[in-house]
């Protein structure tokens, strides 16, 4: 990948966002119970980066998903299913020697002791991604390149690829990085340190307050920002408390996603000239607590691409997460842009009393006010 190619793609992006990472065929149980007891499963798809890609496409953006899948039926299914969301899958490579990853999970909350996940992804086609195996014209085709911390955990070659993509080189697209710490995927104890180093190379970083505490022993949004001063934007997701964005104003590069900060809401000034904006989470009638983090990333990126103020970016993240939380699987139909804009524009009092439940994205008047 040369600087000339990078600069040319950044000046002439062909899509809004490129998402790179493994997607797997997911088997969801038809009823609650242990994996040993569930008799049948429904087939769907799952993968952090492809989830973001599908949600962004549903929100009206042009998106490309890049990965490797096996030359098998599961690979066919992934490419067809993700393509059906309107995502460009022309950058997906087929591997004749390695299988497509799959996994099974129980219906219970991931945070409970009864939740089980069985991954069959070791040696998968995606784990063979490496520098030089993917076309630069695909990788640098967007205004934004979105990665996550799952990819470098898959293999040494995937780590080398992620390190290459997070290098700060002239003309690259805006680099978005969702930390997605998965300790069970890493082959040694250095995974957390590696993720911190990779995040420092990104322009936009999204991280959960809980995962930062687990991975880096960092507690609170300010402590996370102190450890990650390099990204122009840091978004700390604080669960039911909401999310906080730290933004540092810089000049926008030609052809890149809008980077300006702004917005009202609860704000302040952080270190090194940061503007700090916090937005409380929504009240949601949760159907299944899966896919919310990826959906939040998609909502925040969508609003960033549109040049909206930071408060609106956080609100769109919360709204997209609420769409995912109110369906059984990882992927949900997002609200229409007009609908999301209307809700994101509510005053602080109305936002604080908003409650969303199943079906809200398709209803004319979905919000339920709390007493």
């Amino acid at each position: 990948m040369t600087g000339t190619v990078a600069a040319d793609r950044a000046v002439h992006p062909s899509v809004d966002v490129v998402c790179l990472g493994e997607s797997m065929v997911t088997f969801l149980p038809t009823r609650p119970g242990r994996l040993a007891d569930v008799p049948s499963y429904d087939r769907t798809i799952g993968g952090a980066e492809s989830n973001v890609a599908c949600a962004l496409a549903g929100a009206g953006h042009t998106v490309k998903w890049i990965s490797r899948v096996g030359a098998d039926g599961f690979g066919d299914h992934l490419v067809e299913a993700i393509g059906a969301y309107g995502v460009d899958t022309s950058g997906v490579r087929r591997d004749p020697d390695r299988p497509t990853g799959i996994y099974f999970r129980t219906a219970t909350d991931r945070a409970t002791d009864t939740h089980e996940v069985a991954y069959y992804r070791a040696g998968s086609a995606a784990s063979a991604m490496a520098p030089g195996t993917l076309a630069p014209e695909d990788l640098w085709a967007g205004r934004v390149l979105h990665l996550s911390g799952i990819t470098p955990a898959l293999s040494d070659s995937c780590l080398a690829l992620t390190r290459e993509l997070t290098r700060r080189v002239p003309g690259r697209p805006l680099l978005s990085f969702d930390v997605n710490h998965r300790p069970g995927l890493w082959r040694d104890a250095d995974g957390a340190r590696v993720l911190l180093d990779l995040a420092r190379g990104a322009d936009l970083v999204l991280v959960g307050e809980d995962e930062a505490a687990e991975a880096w022993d960092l507690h609170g949004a300010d402590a996370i920002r102190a450890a990650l001063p390099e990204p122009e934007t840091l978004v700390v997701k604080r669960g039911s408390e909401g999310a906080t964005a730290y933004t540092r104003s810089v000049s926008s590069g030609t052809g890149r996603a809008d980077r300006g900060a702004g917005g009202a809401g609860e704000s302040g000034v952080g270190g090194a000239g940061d503007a700090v904006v916090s937005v409380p989470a929504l009240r949601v009638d949760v159907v299944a607590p899966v896919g919310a983090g990826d959906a939040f990333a998609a909502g925040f990126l969508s609003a960033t691409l549109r040049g909206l103020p930071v408060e609106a970016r956080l609100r769109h993240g919360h709204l997209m997460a609420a769409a995912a939380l109110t369906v059984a699987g990882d992927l949900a139909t997002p609200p229409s842009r007009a609908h999301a804009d209307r809700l994101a524009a509510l005053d602080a009092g109305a936002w604080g009393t908003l409650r969303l439940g199943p079906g809200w994205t398709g209803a004319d008047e979905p919000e339920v006010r709390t007493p």
Side-chain angles (χ1 to χ4, degrees):
M1 182 183 304
T2 67
T4 301
V5 171
D8 180 67
R9 300 311 301 178
V11 172
H12 303 289
S14 60
V15 296
D16 291 332
V17 182
V18 172
C19 297
L20 179 145
E22 180 174 37
S23 188
M24 294 173 289
V25 173
T26 309
F27 291 92
L28 304 179
T30 53
R31 65 173 175 79
R34 302 183 309 152
L35 289 179
D37 300 328
V38 175
S40 59
Y41 297 80
D42 292 325
R43 184 185 64 176
T44 181
I45 60 175
E49 300 84 2
S50 60
N51 286 347
V52 172
C54 292
L56 282 168
H61 296 282
T62 54
V63 190
K64 190 168 200 167
W65 172 57
I66 298 176
S67 189
R68 288 174 71 89
V69 299
D72 51 32
F74 288 144
D76 293 341
H77 176 64
L78 281 176
V79 172
E80 292 168 6
I82 293 171
Y85 280 88
V87 176
D88 179 352
T89 61
S90 63
V92 178
R93 300 293 178 259
R94 307 303 293 263
D95 191 319
D97 302 315
R98 298 175 180 85
T100 303
I102 64 173
Y103 78 98
F104 298 77
R105 67 172 173 85
T106 53
T108 50
D109 188 336
R110 288 179 178 175
T112 68
D113 292 337
T114 59
H115 183 69
E116 298 174 75
V117 180
Y119 287 105
Y120 299 90
R121 72 194 309 179
S124 69
S127 70
M129 290 189 295
T133 63
L134 302 170
E137 59 268 25
D138 288 332
L139 291 166
W140 294 75
R143 296 168 62 193
V144 175
L145 174 60
H146 179 72
L147 311 173
S148 91
I150 294 173
T151 299
L154 298 179
S155 66
D156 290 340
S157 65
C158 283
L159 173 56
L161 174 63
T162 311
R163 279 181 168 148
E164 179 179 277
L165 294 174
T166 53
R167 284 174 38 234
R168 294 187 181 277
V169 296
R172 77 175 185 185
L174 186 146
L175 198 292
S176 168
F177 186 77
D178 193 338
V179 171
N180 263 323
H181 180 228
R182 300 288 188 270
L185 285 178
W186 288 92
R187 301 164 299 287
D188 54 48
D190 291 334
R193 176 190 58 78
V194 170
L195 283 177
L196 190 60
D197 289 342
L198 293 171
R200 287 176 173 142
D203 301 307
L204 163 62
V205 171
L206 301 107
V207 62
E209 195 171 43
D210 55 347
E211 66 181 339
E214 178 186 26
W216 306 323
D217 197 27
L218 295 173
H219 302 276
D222 287 346
I224 299 169
R225 182 51 160 171
L228 275 171
E230 297 88 353
E232 292 156 19
T233 302
L234 170 69
V235 179
V236 179
K237 298 171 288 183
R238 299 181 291 118
S240 62
E241 296 301 311
T244 298
Y246 296 78
T247 57
R248 186 171 66 249
S249 295
V250 297
S251 298
S252 295
T254 303
R256 302 186 63 162
D258 181 88
R259 293 174 163 206
E266 182 185 339
S267 62
V269 178
D274 278 338
V276 185
V277 178
S278 293
V279 170
L282 290 163
R283 301 167 184 261
V284 179
D285 296 328
V286 176
V287 172
V290 293
D294 302 330
F296 183 97
F300 190 89
L301 283 172
S302 174
T304 299
L305 286 160
R306 296 170 60 201
L308 300 184
V310 174
E311 182 187 22
R313 300 179 194 189
L314 291 170
R315 285 190 170 194
H316 277 275
H318 286 314
L319 288 165
M320 199 76 88
L325 289 169
T326 50
V327 298
D330 287 15
L331 292 167
T333 300
S336 69
R337 184 170 291 184
H339 188 184
D341 284 345
R342 180 172 66 83
L343 295 181
L346 292 172
D347 61 40
W351 178 267
T353 59
L354 191 63
R355 188 182 189 107
L356 302 174
W360 74 269
T361 60
D364 292 332
E365 294 294 333
E367 59 265 33
V368 177
R369 307 288 178 175
T370 56

